Amino acid sequence: MTAPLTDLYRQFEIPGVAEVVSGNGGLPKVRVTTAEGSGEIYLHGAHVTSWKPAAEDEVLFLSAKSQWEDGRAIRGGVPICFPWFRGKADDPKAPAHGFVRTKAWQIESIKQAAGAVIVSMFTESDDNTKKWWPAEFRLVHRVTFGSELGMELEVTNTGKTSLQFEEALHAYFRVGNVEMTHTQAPDAFHYYDKTDVHTKHTQLGEIMITSETDRVYLNTRDPIEVEDPVLKRRIRVTKENSLNTVVWNPWEQKAALMSDLAKEEWTQMLCIEPSNVLSFAVEVAPGQQHKMKAVAQVVDF
Ligand code: BG6
């Protein structure tokens, strides 16, 4: 009899703090519990599916109808989009948002640090990734679970030519009612609107979700805050080395076409996605690295 997949990862566990268990669909996940907060990350896609600071409710949205299998993306949590965002420009058959969110990653390490736990996972280019993209790369995703959720995506160019890619930490936040959220954004904040043939618009005042919303905000450096009067909390997202923030909610009609989203679930989610996409794609020289970081916090209401 073959040993369960989770046995392969026993060496990384920290008893009572971080364990590798079988999750939905039998996919292995790391479950973290500390005094400051708890969380979960699947090896499938290095996909964070839960984060709950102590004394708070769950912060991430996860669909009840998500599919849990190789080759499919989990609906909710924080998918990693790489090396392209949305469709691949020169290949309509290529998987949306790239290929790393639908494959198994490996655990690199699990460490404790000041009330938090850092889970690092990695994946590398191989014959399968080269079917879609010829590049040589190594990705490490370091996730810190504690009173904050820290995420750091590190891309290393392991090839001999320059590497160009888009990337996003496609975070789905759980909200009480998306129509009642107010997202604070500085004035004169420009965005491309996918629901309006990608034309450029200027944000004046808060971002309110009143219809399908699919926007790439440009040159975003400041923190973004989502105020949720129903769950009575504010979620702040701070980032580094990310010049775009995508704001997405499919709204009723698009959501009804998504087989992995339950009816009405679109009202309980808002995606705020630290990213580098479109003309902000990143270029990394051979042997060099790029790190994009994002931190989510629940702050006073
Ligand atoms: C968002 C994109 O980031 O992800 C949207 O801006 C897209 O255009 C959405 O529809 C969901 O993508 P997917 O591939 O997970 O259904």
Side-chain angles (χ1 to χ4, degrees):
M1 205 171 101
T2 42
L5 198 51
T6 47
D7 280 358
L8 288 174
Y9 297 106
R10 288 283 163 254
Q11 53 172 316
F12 296 105
E13 293 187 326
I14 305 172
V17 173
E19 20 165 25
V20 185
V21 297
S22 176
N24 290 324
L27 298 172
K29 67 179 178 186
V30 181
R31 191 163 59 200
V32 171
T33 319
T34 76
E36 306 270 327
S38 57
E40 292 187 347
I41 176 169
Y42 277 75
L43 277 78
H44 182 71
H47 197 127
V48 176
T49 52
S50 167
W51 169 56
K52 194 177 159 311
E56 294 287 346
D57 289 332
E58 176 62 53
V59 181
L60 299 177
F61 166 84
L62 186 61
S63 169
K65 288 181 76 179
S66 181
Q67 308 281 320
W68 301 89
E69 60 195 26
D70 224 30
R72 293 288 303 248
I74 297 168
R75 178 67 67 194
V78 190
I80 297 174
C81 308
F82 176 92
W84 55 83
F85 181 75
R86 297 181 178 149
K88 186 168 188 268
D90 58 358
D91 183 358
K93 291 205 184 93
H97 289 325
F99 41 69
V100 301
R101 65 175 180 161
T102 53
K103 64 175 290 208
W105 290 46
Q106 295 183 57
I107 299 177
E108 185 174 76
S109 63
I110 303 179
K111 293 181 182 150
Q112 279 180 287
V117 171
I118 306 167
V119 180
S120 301
M121 293 192 181
F122 72 95
T123 192
E124 291 169 325
S125 46
D126 58 22
D127 289 348
N128 279 326
T129 67
K130 285 179 190 163
K131 281 185 202 152
W132 300 112
W133 199 52
E136 305 269 356
F137 65 89
R138 176 182 166 88
L139 293 187
V140 179
H141 192 39
R142 290 189 193 91
V143 180
T144 305
F145 294 99
S147 58
E148 302 178 344
L149 175 69
M151 293 174 285
E152 177 183 281
L153 183 65
E154 176 186 286
V155 182
T156 305
N157 180 354
T158 50
K160 293 188 170 60
T161 55
S162 172
L163 193 68
Q164 241 215 341
F165 56 87
E166 296 175 286
E167 57 180 349
L169 294 168
H170 189 317
Y172 288 70
F173 292 105
R174 191 172 79 91
V175 295
N177 178 351
V178 76
E179 295 176 72
M180 292 176 69
T181 55
H182 296 240
T183 299
Q184 316 290 339
D187 279 354
F189 200 165
H190 298 290
Y191 62 89
Y192 287 116
D193 190 344
K194 190 177 170 198
T195 69
D196 186 18
V197 287
H198 298 276
T199 47
K200 197 170 182 176
H201 292 246
T202 302
Q203 180 73 43
L204 295 172
E206 297 175 330
I207 304 170
M208 303 295 293
I209 310 294
T210 56
S211 59
E212 182 192 351
T213 302
D214 197 349
R215 303 175 181 172
V216 176
Y217 283 85
L218 311 174
N219 283 308
T220 57
R221 290 182 168 86
D222 294 337
I224 286 205
E225 280 186 14
V226 178
E227 188 176 299
D228 182 342
V230 178
L231 298 184
K232 297 199 174 15
R233 66 183 181 191
R234 279 190 300 144
I235 297 169
R236 179 184 295 156
V237 181
T238 313
K239 61 210 192 93
E240 274 176 48
N241 282 338
S242 150
L243 288 175
N244 300 118
T245 303
V246 177
V247 177
W248 179 62
N249 180 278
W251 205 254
E252 191 172 4
Q253 289 77 12
K254 277 265 169 76
L257 303 173
M258 295 167 65
S259 60
D260 55 359
L261 207 56
K263 204 169 183 304
E264 306 299 334
E265 276 189 328
W266 65 273
T267 62
Q268 295 154 24
M269 52 167 270
L270 179 59
C271 291
I272 303 286
E273 311 169 30
S275 45
N276 290 302
V277 301
L278 309 176
S279 61
F280 295 81
V282 177
E283 190 155 353
V284 175
Q288 300 298 303
Q289 287 182 338
H290 166 85
K291 286 184 194 180
M292 176 173 74
K293 296 186 191 177
V295 176
Q297 295 165 281
V298 177
V299 291
D300 287 344
F301 184 63

